[in-house]
Amino acid sequence: MKKLFSLCVALAFTLILAACSGGGAPAGAYDPDATAQALLDSGAFSEALEALDADMISSLYGLESQPEAAASASTGATAEEIAVLVFSTQEEADDARKALEARVSDQKDACEGYLPAELPKLEQAIVKESGSSVLLVVANDSQAAQAALDGLAQ
């Protein structure tokens, strides 16, 4: 009888923990905070990046909806930035990926005349979609950034 009671308590505890962990990014999506932190810790950036608030993120990337997000950008004269955006629908994520690709293209055009040294970073920009999330990484060392992303998948 004690074993049955202990088993029931353990099962109930497990179910409670599973229910409490239901938040966060949807299955297959990037976790905004963990992904951004892994990238920041990767050594891929030539300077410290400053965190952007939710309004700035939507404005900077031309987003119609406000995603769960973590984004940081250069405070100096570099094109370096990180954006990890999680949406509630796949359609929103698809639209955001297009917006991030347009951002990279616009940055290339802008840097061409006054910051040509930043063009290689933009040429190696990482734009990926996973589940209902998208990310943008413009780094000084795109291989280190990719290695950080690869490390998250393991």
Side-chain angles (χ1 to χ4, degrees):
M1 188 64 145
K2 282 185 179 182
K3 287 183 181 183
L4 181 60
F5 178 75
S6 296
L7 182 61
C8 288
V9 169
L11 179 61
F13 186 71
T14 303
L15 291 174
I16 289 170
L17 285 177
C20 290
S21 67
Y30 292 105
D31 177 278
D33 294 328
T35 303
Q37 192 59 55
L39 288 163
L40 290 169
D41 293 343
S42 72
F45 301 92
S46 64
E47 66 174 350
L49 302 181
E50 184 174 313
L52 304 175
D53 65 29
D55 290 334
M56 178 62 90
I57 292 168
S58 291
S59 174
L60 184 64
Y61 300 115
L63 304 174
E64 302 221 359
S65 60
Q66 252 186 1
E68 179 185 350
S72 299
S74 168
T75 58
T78 72
E80 296 178 12
E81 65 186 283
I82 298 169
V84 185
L85 314 171
V86 179
F87 297 90
S88 56
T89 70
Q90 187 65 48
E91 183 179 340
E92 289 174 319
D94 292 342
D95 291 343
R97 181 186 41 76
K98 292 173 189 166
L100 294 178
E101 289 169 346
R103 165 81 175 159
V104 172
S105 179
D106 291 346
Q107 287 291 84
K108 285 178 186 175
D109 292 343
C111 288
E112 198 167 45
Y114 77 97
L115 287 173
E118 293 301 299
L119 287 173
K121 295 176 186 178
L122 291 161
E123 293 293 336
Q124 297 297 314
I126 301 168
V127 178
K128 290 189 175 187
E129 188 171 345
S130 180
S132 61
S133 67
V134 291
L135 70 81
L136 165 65
V137 182
V138 179
N140 187 54
D141 183 348
S142 62
Q143 290 179 339
Q146 185 61 56
L149 293 172
D150 292 344
L152 291 172
Q154 297 176 359

